[in-house]
Amino acid sequence: MNLLLVSHRHPKSPAAEAFRTLRTSLAFASPEPVRTLLVTSAAPEEGKSTIASNLAVALAQAGKRVLVVDADLRKPQQHRIFDVPNHRGLTNILVGEAEAGEVLNATPVPGLDLVSSGPIPPNPAELLDSERARSLWPALAAQYQCVLIDSPPLVAVADSVILSPQVEGVLVVVRAGQTRTDLLRESRALLEKAGARVLGAVLNEVRHAPRDYRYYYYYHSEQKRRASEEE
């Protein structure tokens, strides 16, 4: 399993705590639980695949049944993050060659499954704009409490804009110090035009001062001490 999956490998780290905070924020972002969530970004290399996979782990750690679907059919990453084969996946479902249950990958995280992208097709946008794609998300949501869909950057290609009205919510990943403001504005306009429901944004790779981490470790060491005294 990839070292980037910090929520699973280092569940007591400040980074894992940040994903649990994101999980809580999502729970308050909507009066009803969001069962299908698209994770995207304005431009490439902003960390959306890492955010999607770690958020999925955090949700599964809370006892939810979670599915990650890699809908980035141009540059898929989830099979690498979870270290699973990518011979068959979403594209096989969308062209009618397989049912979802036939391409599911179990992960080492209890309650978390993965559908990788499958073979890279010549026509990703057409596949994602199909009736088969539109009917897939509600069918998966009937089996899982949360379906996280990793998708390409918004400004680069049309795929995420096509997918955005097919799901219940959209989460936009913004990389601190790198995401251009004009691209972020353009992304917002594209999502609004598509009728997407944007739940919020995640600011990725924020540098914290060392004292912030001291507060975190102090708080958790205090919790551990009190728990041992109560035993």
Side-chain angles (χ1 to χ4, degrees):
M1 187 172 287
N2 195 292
L3 290 172
L4 294 175
L5 210 55
V6 64
S7 291
H8 177 65
R9 296 181 64 90
H10 304 289
K12 295 182 179 179
S13 66
E17 181 64 24
F19 284 107
R20 289 191 287 273
T21 301
L22 175 59
R23 178 185 70 199
T24 303
S25 299
L26 277 174
F28 286 102
S30 171
E32 299 294 332
V34 175
R35 299 181 77 96
T36 52
L37 180 67
L38 187 76
V39 182
T40 186
S41 60
E45 308 296 332
E46 295 186 338
K48 61 177 181 53
S49 296
T50 305
I51 297 293
S53 56
N54 279 281
L55 175 59
V57 171
L59 288 164
Q61 288 171 339
K64 292 185 180 296
R65 184 161 163 73
V66 184
L67 176 67
V68 174
V69 180
D70 197 340
D72 190 338
L73 304 183
R74 301 169 191 267
K75 194 176 179 181
Q77 295 294 324
Q78 294 298 336
H79 65 287
R80 294 190 174 93
I81 293 174
F82 285 97
D83 194 21
V84 300
N86 193 31
H87 306 305
R88 285 159 57 85
L90 178 60
T91 52
N92 300 96
I93 300 173
L94 296 181
V95 299
E97 293 178 350
E99 298 297 326
E102 298 175 306
V103 296
L104 280 178
N105 293 282
T107 76
V109 182
L112 175 57
D113 292 332
L114 168 70
V115 171
S116 62
S117 69
I120 294 177
N123 54 344
E126 286 80 0
L127 284 180
L128 296 172
D129 199 21
S130 64
E131 186 55 41
R132 197 180 292 272
R134 280 186 282 274
S135 63
L136 176 62
W137 316 122
L140 294 175
Q143 302 174 49
Y144 291 87
Q145 290 171 284
C146 190
V147 179
L148 289 175
I149 303 161
D150 187 8
S151 64
L154 283 156
V155 177
V157 291
D159 303 14
S160 293
V161 178
I162 290 170
L163 284 170
S164 63
Q166 300 179 23
V167 298
E168 296 176 9
V170 177
L171 194 64
V172 180
V173 176
V174 178
R175 188 170 180 177
Q178 178 166 310
T179 302
R180 284 169 41 188
T181 306
D182 60 332
L183 294 183
L184 200 54
R185 287 199 188 98
E186 184 178 348
S187 299
R188 180 179 176 178
L190 288 169
L191 290 171
E192 287 178 349
K193 188 175 181 180
R197 183 187 181 206
V198 180
L199 296 178
V202 178
L203 188 58
N204 188 26
E205 295 200 11
V206 178
R207 292 188 178 184
H208 289 280
R211 65 175 179 275
D212 295 335
Y213 292 109
R214 288 204 299 273
Y215 295 151
Y216 173 85
Y217 287 116
Y218 170 78
Y219 178 76
H220 284 271
S221 62
E222 275 294 291
Q223 280 189 320
K224 188 174 180 181
R225 181 183 64 77
R226 290 173 184 173
S228 63
E229 288 177 354
E230 292 171 0
E231 289 176 353

